[in-house]
Amino acid sequence: IKVKPFVPTLKKPAIDKLAWKIVKTSSGKGRDAIDGNMSSMWHSAHGDETPRHPHEIVIDFGTTLSLDGFIQTARADMHNGVIKEYEVLVSEDGENWKSAVKSTFVYQANKAEVRFKKKMDARYFKLIALSEHKGGPWATVAELDMIGGPSAKGKVQQKIQEVSRTIDRTILTNFTDQS
């Protein structure tokens, strides 16, 4: 493995992950891949009955984003499970998927920044690990970050949610203020 020092191209986290949810993994605790903690990680099943590749993790952003790419941070404590070949699919509804990229990760230190050929609108993001750097059957991800921002559709969805929360608070206030 050739390792170059990581030089970040982003000055701050690309997109806030507070509303993100893991909706599926092939195995393991997926939430650890989006918790902001580089010491925790999503790890596919391991032990006596370790399943072979592919392994996958699916994120629901809670709103539609316009993605330019993503950053995958590999575990730093050892090389087991460090993803080599991968594919990323994106979806706006969680059912109809489009391929965003299929390639081999190039790591700088333990981070790989991937840029898509074109912006892609997505509410759902699926990372499929196709192989591991040392040929093992595992997959791990310390952290996933997206590069991009809210899409036009996502901004409308957020505005609707804000208005809906305001209406709910107004109704609740009016209801509870009755004497």
Side-chain angles (χ1 to χ4, degrees), residues 83-88 101-106 114 130-131:
I83 300 168
K84 181 178 179 182
E85 298 168 308
Y86 68 93
E87 182 172 15
V88 168
V101 63
K102 185 175 183 177
S103 191
T104 300
F105 280 124
V106 177
V114 176
L130 302 172
S131 68

Side-chain angles (χ1 to χ4, degrees), residues 173-179:
T173 302
N174 290 342
F175 179 74
T176 56
D177 269 355
Q178 303 294 320
S179 300

Side-chain angles (χ1 to χ4, degrees), residues 42-133:
W42 165 62
H43 197 307
S44 62
H46 49 89
D48 294 338
E49 308 257 339
T50 302
R52 306 282 308 161
H53 291 93
H55 300 290
E56 67 181 47
I57 183 168
V58 180
I59 302 170
D60 175 357
F61 301 127
T63 189
T64 303
L65 301 177
S66 179
L67 300 178
D68 294 302
F70 69 102
I71 298 171
Q72 191 265 132
T73 304
R75 67 188 300 176
D77 61 336
M78 63 173 48
H79 292 291
N80 284 359
V82 174
I83 300 168
K84 181 178 179 182
E85 298 168 308
Y86 68 93
E87 182 172 15
V88 168
L89 304 175
V90 296
S91 172
E92 291 189 54
D93 61 8
E95 294 180 22
N96 298 295
W97 296 90
K98 297 177 201 166
S99 181
V101 63
K102 185 175 183 177
S103 191
T104 300
F105 280 124
V106 177
Y107 291 93
Q108 294 180 354
N110 66 326
K111 294 182 184 269
E113 183 175 317
V114 176
R115 294 288 180 152
F116 300 150
K117 290 182 181 176
K118 63 178 185 168
K119 282 187 181 282
M120 302 198 75
D121 281 354
R123 176 170 171 164
Y124 298 88
F125 175 94
K126 182 187 296 190
L127 172 64
I128 305 169
L130 302 172
S131 68
E132 190 241 20
H133 256 296

Side-chain angles (χ1 to χ4, degrees), residues 10-31:
L10 303 172
K11 294 183 177 154
K12 60 180 182 172
I15 297 173
D16 182 19
K17 299 190 259 188
L18 193 58
W20 296 10
K21 292 184 172 82
I22 299 298
V23 293
K24 181 182 177 190
T25 65
S26 50
S27 62
K29 205 166 123 187
R31 181 76 191 144

